[in-house]
Amino acid sequence: IAVSFSGCVTSRHIDELKAEHREIKAQITDSGSKIDKMEQLITENADASKKLRNEISSSNDQIQEQIDALLENYNELLRMLQQISTELNTKRIVVGSVGGGTVEQLPSTDKGVTSPPQEIVTKPTVDCGKLYDDSFVLFRSNEDYEGAITSFNNFIEKCPDNPSVENAHYWIGECYYALEKYVDASEKFDYLLKNFKSTVNASRAMYKLARCKQELGKNKEAKKIFQQLIDEYPESLEGSQAKDLIKDL
C-alpha cells in the first residue's frame, strides 16, 4: 500500500496542489479586497444619502421662510389697498382735532347755502397694520410666543374686519405648536380651516393640524388629514411632506 501511495502522489501532484492552494488563496484575497471596496461604497452611499436628506430638509426650511415672507408682503399689500379704499369712500373732510379725537366737517349738500361747520368728535383710530406687525415681530423675531398670542388676540379683537385676521389665527396656532400645546394648536388650526374656507393658509394649517394629531397620539386622525391634504393640495410643499409622513402611519 505504501508503495502504491507513493507511486500515486508524485512531486508533480504536490506542485499542482500547491499551485491550486496559491490560486485559492489569491481568490480569497481578491474577494476580501472586493468586499472591502463594497463596504466602502456602501458607507459612501450612506453618507451621501444622509447629506442629501439634510440638504433637502434645509432647502424645505428655506422655501418655507420664503413663502412666509411672500405671504407677509401679500398681506401688507392687502392692508394698503384697504386703507386706500377707505380713504376714497369717506365723505368726511378732516379739518382739525379736539381732545385727542378727530374733528371733521361734513360737506354742504345745498349749493349757495352757507351753513356753519358741523363738528363731529370721533375716537382715536387703531393702527391695525402696526398692531399686526408688532404681533408678528414677537412671534418671528423675539420668539415670545406667549406675548405673540396675547398681541394677535388683541389685534383680532380691535380689527375684526382686517384682512390679516385669518393670518393672525394661523400664527396663534403656530405659537401654541411651538409651545408644544398641541390641543390648543389643534383647535386653532381647525377653527381657521372651518371659518376661513378660502384662506391662503389652508395647506399649512392642514399640515400642522395633522402634526398636532400625531403629537397627541391620534395617528388615525392624522393619517386622514394628511390624505386630505395630499388630495386637495398635491403640488404644495406641505402635500409633498405629507406623502412622506403618511407612510409611517
Side-chain angles (χ1 to χ4, degrees):
I1 296 173
V3 172
S4 176
F5 180 79
S6 62
C8 292
V9 181
T10 64
S11 59
R12 183 171 62 83
H13 290 153
I14 293 174
D15 291 339
E16 290 176 353
L17 289 172
K18 288 181 178 180
E20 290 179 3
H21 179 266
R22 286 194 297 272
E23 184 178 352
I24 292 172
K25 187 176 181 180
Q27 290 177 353
I28 292 173
T29 302
D30 184 57
S31 297
S33 177
K34 290 180 179 179
I35 291 172
D36 291 339
K37 289 182 179 179
M38 290 178 65
E39 290 178 345
Q40 183 179 357
L41 288 173
I42 291 172
T43 301
E44 290 175 353
N45 287 335
D47 292 340
S49 177
K50 182 179 180 180
K51 181 180 179 181
L52 181 60
R53 286 197 300 270
N54 291 336
E55 290 177 351
I56 291 174
S57 177
S58 176
S59 177
N60 286 342
D61 292 340
Q62 292 175 357
I63 291 173
Q64 188 64 60
E65 290 178 359
Q66 292 174 1
I67 291 173
D68 291 342
L70 289 172
L71 183 60
E72 285 308 301
N73 291 336
Y74 170 75
N75 291 330
E76 180 62 26
L77 288 174
L78 285 180
R79 288 196 295 271
M80 292 174 64
L81 287 173
Q82 185 186 43
Q83 291 174 359
I84 293 172
S85 177
T86 301
E87 292 173 0
L88 290 175
N89 292 330
T90 186
K91 295 182 179 180
R92 294 177 294 187
I93 305 171
V94 178
V95 296
S97 63
V98 173
T102 301
V103 180
E104 301 173 336
Q105 177 179 330
L106 298 178
S108 174
T109 56
D110 297 326
K111 295 182 179 180
V113 178
T114 303
S115 59
Q118 299 178 13
E119 294 185 349
I120 302 174
V121 179
T122 61
K123 295 180 180 180
T125 58
V126 177
D127 189 342
C128 294
K130 185 177 185 305
L131 188 56
Y132 178 86
D133 291 340
D134 290 345
S135 303
F136 189 76
V137 168
L138 288 173
F139 166 74
R140 180 64 74 188
S141 300
N142 300 346
E143 296 185 356
D144 179 6
Y145 303 121
E146 294 286 2
I149 290 171
T150 300
S151 187
F152 275 125
N153 279 325
N154 185 38
F155 164 76
I156 293 171
E157 179 183 353
K158 293 183 177 179
C159 308
D161 298 323
N162 191 280
S164 293
V165 164
E166 66 178 71
N167 292 331
H169 283 293
Y170 174 79
W171 293 122
I172 290 173
E174 285 281 12
C175 288
Y176 281 130
Y177 189 89
L179 292 169
E180 298 183 0
K181 295 183 177 181
Y182 300 116
V183 173
D184 293 328
S186 178
E187 291 176 353
K188 180 56 68 173
F189 291 129
D190 187 56
Y191 175 87
L192 176 66
L193 291 168
K194 288 180 178 178
N195 291 275
F196 298 88
K197 302 293 185 181
S198 59
T199 175
V200 295
N201 298 303
S203 61
R204 292 196 295 171
M206 200 175 295
Y207 175 79
K208 280 302 178 68
L209 177 58
R211 293 302 302 271
C212 287
K213 298 297 183 181
Q214 273 189 300
E215 295 292 346
L216 294 171
K218 299 180 179 180
N219 290 337
K220 187 175 181 180
E221 293 182 34
K223 185 175 182 179
K224 182 179 179 181
I225 298 170
F226 275 139
Q227 188 59 57
Q228 182 182 354
L229 173 58
I230 294 169
D231 293 339
E232 295 183 9
Y233 303 95
E235 302 301 325
S236 67
L237 173 63
E238 294 78 18
S240 177
Q241 293 172 329
K243 291 176 184 177
D244 293 330
L245 293 173
I246 201 172
K247 297 175 184 177
D248 299 327
L249 297 177

